[in-house]
Amino acid sequence: MRYPIGIQNFESLRRDGYGYVDKTAYVWRLAQTGRYYFLSRPRRFGKSLLLSTIEAYFEGKRELFDGLAISQFETEWRQYPILHLDLNASKYSDITDLEQILDYHLRQWEDRYGRDERTTTLSGRFMDVIQQAYDHTGMPVVILVDEYDKPLALNLDNESLQDEFRSLLKAFYGVMKSADRYIKFGFLTGVTKFSKVSVFSDLNNISDISMQSAYAASCGITGQEIHDYFDEGVRQLADANGMSKDEFYAALRRRY
């Protein structure tokens, strides 16, 4: 098996033949049972890969899912317009950093779906591009937000800057409620529980699945999944450390 160390893109992982712990049954369940979700997990826990998997599914890239759980359920494989906002790529030392990141993503989407030049605010442009994507494709929009709280989490000791970030993000994310009729699905991830950040007070229809047992293993790797997917690798590590496989599994449990 080729181990996908540091790879967070589902399509790249699958096309290049890396090992993948199948989480697609969760993707199917999410898509079939609700519309707006929030998931909180620590950093480096697989949130970005989960979002990338959801994105590939809603793009209708059926070939990437051959042999995975979701291929047993899905029959239509429709393609939806995707607005994927990734807030990982900045240090957010001032409000301009956040404005520039939002503007960058908006320009990417506007180049694809069109823009009403009369709209100038970031939240207004977000509303407009959702409508444009819907009108352009005839399909409702999928909105994915990775690390929604990154600007806030990086500035916990700067209350005034936090207030600026919170005000901008509240207006931006609040668009999802106003544009509800154009939206198929929304999924947001972060480290901070959104109820503590107060940027979603206008968006009260999000299902927080962070502590729901049905989605506990949607990110990360369970003990059973280590047995199922990595048993041979564990055996090799056990041999290299002069341990039996059972002893090595016991050591993994103690450490992780």
Side-chain angles (χ1 to χ4, degrees), residues 1-14:
M1 176 187 291
R2 300 178 67 194
Y3 296 107
I5 307 301
I7 298 176
Q8 302 179 70
N9 182 272
F10 177 76
E11 181 170 356
S12 174
L13 183 152
R14 292 290 287 170

Side-chain angles (χ1 to χ4, degrees), residues 30-201:
L30 289 165
Q32 299 304 310
T33 58
R35 290 185 63 189
Y36 297 100
Y37 297 96
F38 170 74
L39 176 68
S40 175
R41 289 291 185 273
R43 303 210 185 282
R44 313 306 301 174
F45 219 80
K47 299 188 300 297
S48 295
L49 178 57
L50 178 62
L51 275 187
S52 181
T53 307
I54 293 172
E55 181 172 15
Y57 166 67
F58 279 111
E59 287 177 330
K61 295 182 176 179
R62 181 176 186 169
E63 72 282 1
L64 298 179
F65 295 88
D66 286 347
L68 300 179
I70 202 169
S71 65
Q72 303 174 45
F73 313 125
E74 184 58 77
T75 57
E76 297 181 341
W77 294 100
R78 293 178 178 174
Q79 182 178 3
Y80 297 87
I82 311 288
L83 304 181
H84 189 161
L85 175 62
D86 185 351
L87 293 184
N88 276 302
S90 181
K91 295 182 178 179
Y92 299 107
S93 56
D94 57 48
I95 192 66
T96 302
D97 288 343
L98 177 56
E99 292 171 339
Q100 289 177 342
I101 287 290
L102 295 178
D103 177 68
Y104 169 79
H105 282 88
L106 285 166
R107 283 187 284 109
Q108 300 296 310
W109 303 333
E110 289 162 349
D111 287 346
R112 188 180 311 155
Y113 300 115
R115 176 182 178 182
D116 184 345
E117 297 292 341
R118 296 169 296 179
T119 306
T120 57
T121 65
L122 293 168
S123 57
R125 288 168 62 194
F126 188 32
M127 179 69 185
D128 183 60
V129 80
I130 293 172
Q131 293 178 276
Q132 293 281 0
Y134 177 85
D135 292 340
H136 184 80
T137 65
M139 299 293 284
V141 178
V142 172
I143 298 175
L144 307 175
V145 181
D146 198 4
E147 301 288 2
Y148 87 96
D149 57 345
K150 186 71 173 288
L152 298 161
L154 290 178
N155 292 277
L156 295 175
D157 59 345
N158 189 331
E159 187 173 342
S160 62
L161 186 54
Q162 283 237 335
D163 288 341
E164 289 185 79
F165 285 146
R166 190 175 291 110
S167 177
L168 177 54
L169 290 173
K170 182 178 180 180
F172 194 84
Y173 294 139
V175 167
M176 294 172 64
K177 183 174 183 178
S178 303
D180 181 69
R181 63 188 180 276
Y182 303 114
I183 298 173
K184 166 70 174 178
F185 183 88
F187 197 96
L188 302 94
T189 75
V191 173
T192 311
K193 196 166 184 177
F194 70 85
S195 61
K196 296 182 178 179
V197 179
S198 302
V199 298
F200 293 125
S201 57

